[in-house]
């Protein structure tokens, strides 16, 4: 019996090793394709190095010199973790191979990004690498992740997200959740939150947000290439914050002297997140002769919620300011009262003079799929063009998507 168990374990180990090897090949191919682009510059090397391999928690922990906290959504304030001396990182994956590794024991129509993440834990030792995991109750797949992933997620804390933002009850409830997260981190780290540490952390992230906003402005001005913007955004918190900000500043400086590269076929990308190495849709948009000049993806322009404004510098005042920024300022489609999201899309497309909106829906990503119908109606009523692309972590649909994108370009 023991011999049978041993052979079964050996088979699993071989399967994981082979899957990891294939996943690394997937990453290598995308890195090589990026380096072969005409718009590649040396300032991108730092970010490509961060993307070169699937995330290994133990290596990241050693690099940043802090305990790691895994986040399944970006509603949890980055600043609060940083103030406690821990390093937060978003748990996701864009690997086709990792998704296939997990497909046998997961629902068929499950979110492919999370399915891919679960597959990546089979060869990344993920559960052992994180000191805690934070689960904001956004979409159903995120809420059910601990049940689906089971032993792959440890030291769990839920952030119960009120899905109605614009009332006092929801805002009060969310502030209570931020205080509960503070208590959880105090218990986890054995340290009390210091007001000065929180203020320092908020200032550090404010400076990063300003730099990141400069990069957004360069992209929207047709100076910074869209695909490189997505790559840089995907590296957020994959290194020490200060070191990452230093290299971000170098990239911004490098392109500030550049002149715009005019392309009349500018589009706005909305919908499901794009996670490296799955750059398929971005590459197909370029192949069709268009460029992404703006977006509202939580893996791209929305990784930072914006400036945090406070008029009360006490600990309570700072926590309240963070709670307001990460709740009322968020435009995630899981909220019930989300007119601001649609208005933001329409305003940005107008400001950037984009000719159309490409709406990206990963199969199984229900919140974006549901909202796509109401957004399509409002976008078309505003006189803009709209194209919904539903896809999965596969390459077989690439030609069909490219054909649709080329036809869409002709309508702009």
């Amino acid at each position: 019996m023991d011999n049978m168990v041993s052979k079964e374990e050996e088979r699993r180990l071989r399967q994981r090793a082979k899957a990891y090897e294939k996943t690394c090949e997937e990453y290598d191919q995308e890195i090589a394709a990026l380096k072969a682009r005409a718009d590649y510059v040396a300032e991108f090397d730092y970010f490509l190095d961060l993307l070169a391999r699937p995330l290994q928690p133990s290596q990241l922990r050693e690099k940043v010199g802090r305990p790691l906290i895994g986040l399944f959504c970006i509603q949890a304030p980055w600043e609060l973790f940083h103030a406690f001396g821990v390093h937060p990182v978003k748990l996701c994956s864009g690997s086709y191979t990792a998704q296939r590794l997990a497909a046998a024991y997961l629902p068929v129509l499950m979110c492919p990004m999370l399915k891919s993440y679960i597959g990546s834990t089979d060869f990344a030792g993920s559960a052992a690498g994180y000191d805690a995991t934070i689960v904001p109750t956004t979409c159903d797949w995120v809420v059910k992740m601990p049940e689906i992933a089971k032993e792959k997620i440890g030291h769990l804390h839920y952030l119960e997200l009120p899905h109605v933002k614009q009332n006092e009850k929801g805002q009060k409830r969310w502030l209570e959740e931020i205080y509960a997260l503070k208590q959880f981190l105090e218990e986890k780290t054995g340290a009390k939150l210091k007001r000065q540490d929180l203020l320092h952390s908020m200032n550090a992230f404010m400076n990063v947000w300003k730099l990141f906003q400069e990069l957004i402005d360069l992209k929207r001005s047709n100076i910074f290439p869209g695909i490189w913007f997505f790559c840089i955004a995907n590296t957020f918190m994959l290194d020490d914050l200060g070191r990452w900000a230093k290299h971000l500043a170098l990239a911004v400086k490098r392109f500030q002297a550049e002149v715009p590269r005019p392309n009349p076929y500018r589009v706005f990308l909305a919908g499901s997140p794009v996670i490296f190495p799955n750059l398929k849709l971005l590459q197909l948009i370029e192949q069709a002769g268009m460029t992404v000049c703006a977006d509202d993806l939580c893996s791209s322009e929305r990784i930072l919620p914006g400036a945090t404004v406070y008029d009360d510098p006490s600990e309570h005042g700072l926590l309240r300011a963070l709670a307001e920024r990460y709740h009322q300022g968020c435009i995630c489609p899981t909220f019930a009262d989300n007119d601001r999201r649609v208005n933001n899309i329409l305003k940005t497309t107008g400001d950037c003079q984009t000719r159309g909106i490409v709406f990206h829906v990963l199969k199984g990503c229900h919140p974006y799929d549901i909202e796509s119908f109401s957004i399509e109606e409002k976008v078309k009523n505003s006189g803009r063009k709209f194209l919904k692309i539903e896809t999965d972590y596969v390459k077989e649909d690439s030609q069909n998507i490219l054909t649709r994108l080329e036809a869409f370009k002709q309508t702009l």
Side-chain angles (χ1 to χ4, degrees):
M1 183 69 178
D2 290 343
N3 188 44
M4 290 178 62
V5 172
S6 177
K7 286 184 177 180
E8 179 63 22
E9 184 61 26
E10 286 179 6
R11 187 189 68 80
R12 286 199 194 98
L13 290 173
R14 286 196 302 270
Q15 182 186 34
R16 290 175 184 175
K18 187 175 181 180
Y20 182 71
E21 182 181 343
K22 285 187 175 181
T23 302
C24 289
E25 290 175 3
E26 201 178 330
Y27 279 67
D28 288 341
Q29 289 172 3
E30 290 300 332
I31 295 291
L34 287 166
K35 286 189 172 183
R37 290 173 59 95
D39 53 12
Y40 161 79
V41 295
E43 283 78 6
F44 294 148
D45 283 341
Y46 165 79
F47 302 102
L48 293 179
D49 287 344
L50 295 180
L51 294 172
R53 284 291 177 267
L55 176 61
Q56 296 282 352
S58 58
Q59 294 177 9
L60 178 58
R61 182 179 183 145
E62 182 179 351
K63 182 189 294 185
V64 300
R66 290 176 168 225
L68 289 188
I69 303 290
L71 310 179
F72 274 112
C73 272
I74 58 173
Q75 268 73 23
W78 302 106
E79 295 89 338
L80 187 56
F81 298 103
H82 193 264
F84 272 102
V86 298
H87 189 84
V89 62
K90 191 170 184 296
L91 303 179
C92 55
S93 173
S95 168
Y96 299 171
T97 305
Q99 182 199 219
R100 288 194 293 269
L101 185 64
Y105 56 88
L106 294 174
V108 174
L109 290 181
M110 181 179 175
C111 167
M113 181 187 73
L114 295 178
K115 193 185 294 186
S116 181
Y117 167 73
I118 293 175
S120 71
T121 63
D122 283 343
F123 49 70
S126 179
Y130 296 101
D131 293 80
T133 304
I134 309 300
V135 182
T137 56
T138 48
C139 74
D140 290 343
W141 289 122
V142 168
V143 172
K144 300 296 282 185
M145 275 297 287
E147 180 182 335
I148 295 170
K150 298 176 183 176
E151 74 280 354
K152 298 179 187 293
I153 298 176
H155 307 286
L156 186 67
H157 177 78
Y158 279 100
L159 266 177
E160 295 183 35
L161 184 69
H163 289 276
V164 177
K165 295 184 292 182
Q166 304 305 326
N167 64 28
E168 186 177 347
K169 180 181 177 182
Q171 294 164 17
K172 180 181 178 182
R173 181 74 185 105
W174 180 242
L175 181 58
E176 291 172 355
E177 285 298 308
I178 297 301
Y179 267 91
L181 176 61
K182 167 180 169 281
Q183 182 180 351
F184 173 80
L185 291 172
E186 287 178 339
E187 294 170 356
K188 193 67 191 170
T189 62
K192 291 289 184 182
L193 178 64
K194 296 179 181 177
R195 188 189 70 87
Q196 280 300 119
D197 289 343
L198 181 58
L199 188 59
H200 173 75
S201 175
M202 291 172 67
N203 289 334
F205 276 87
M206 176 75 80
N207 291 332
V208 171
W209 173 76
K210 289 177 181 177
L211 274 173
F212 194 65
Q213 191 60 47
E214 288 186 48
L215 197 68
I216 290 175
D217 292 340
L218 288 172
K219 182 181 73 165
R220 292 183 177 181
S221 300
N222 259 27
I223 295 175
F224 197 87
I227 199 164
W228 286 110
F229 181 92
F230 280 90
C231 290
I232 289 177
N234 266 225
T235 65
F236 184 59
M237 299 311 287
L238 294 186
D239 196 3
D240 170 76
L241 181 67
R243 190 158 50 236
W244 189 84
K246 177 183 175 182
H247 285 275
L248 179 63
L250 292 174
V252 169
K253 183 178 179 181
R254 169 66 177 76
F255 280 86
Q256 280 176 332
E258 296 285 329
V259 296
R261 305 171 184 180
N263 185 332
Y265 301 105
R266 294 154 51 86
V267 296
F268 183 98
L269 183 60
S272 301
V274 171
I275 306 295
F276 189 86
N278 179 25
L279 302 178
K280 176 180 69 176
L281 182 58
L282 301 174
Q283 293 162 343
L284 292 174
I285 288 173
E286 284 192 348
Q287 287 180 42
M290 297 179 287
T291 182
V292 176
C293 69
D295 69 82
D296 76 337
L297 274 56
C298 61
S299 60
S300 183
E301 288 193 20
R302 284 204 292 119
I303 58 171
L304 288 165
T308 304
V309 180
Y310 58 90
D311 52 14
D312 176 6
S314 68
E315 179 183 305
H316 175 75
L318 297 177
L319 289 172
R320 185 182 63 201
L322 284 175
E324 290 174 353
R325 192 69 196 93
Y326 278 81
H327 189 226
Q328 296 176 52
C330 182
I331 53 173
C332 175
T334 58
F335 288 110
D337 49 345
N338 219 8
D339 288 341
R340 181 171 169 267
R341 173 171 169 75
V342 180
N343 294 336
N344 180 72
I345 291 174
L346 295 177
K347 181 180 184 304
T348 304
T349 54
D351 292 344
C352 297
Q353 298 181 337
T354 54
R355 294 171 175 256
I357 294 174
V358 176
F359 199 93
H360 174 227
V361 177
L362 289 172
K363 288 185 178 177
C365 190
H366 304 312
Y368 285 109
D369 196 6
I370 292 169
E371 76 159 7
S372 67
F373 295 93
S374 59
I375 287 184
E376 178 177 9
E377 180 182 3
K378 292 176 181 178
V379 166
K380 288 183 175 179
N381 287 341
S382 72
R384 297 170 178 84
K385 303 297 183 180
F386 182 94
L387 176 66
K388 177 180 175 181
I389 298 289
E390 186 174 4
T391 184
D392 206 337
Y393 277 17
V394 294
K395 292 187 177 181
E396 288 75 11
D397 61 354
S398 295
Q399 186 57 52
N400 179 51
I401 293 174
L402 178 59
T403 301
R404 295 186 62 206
L405 287 168
E406 289 173 336
F408 180 66
K409 176 189 172 185
Q410 301 305 316
T411 70
L412 300 182

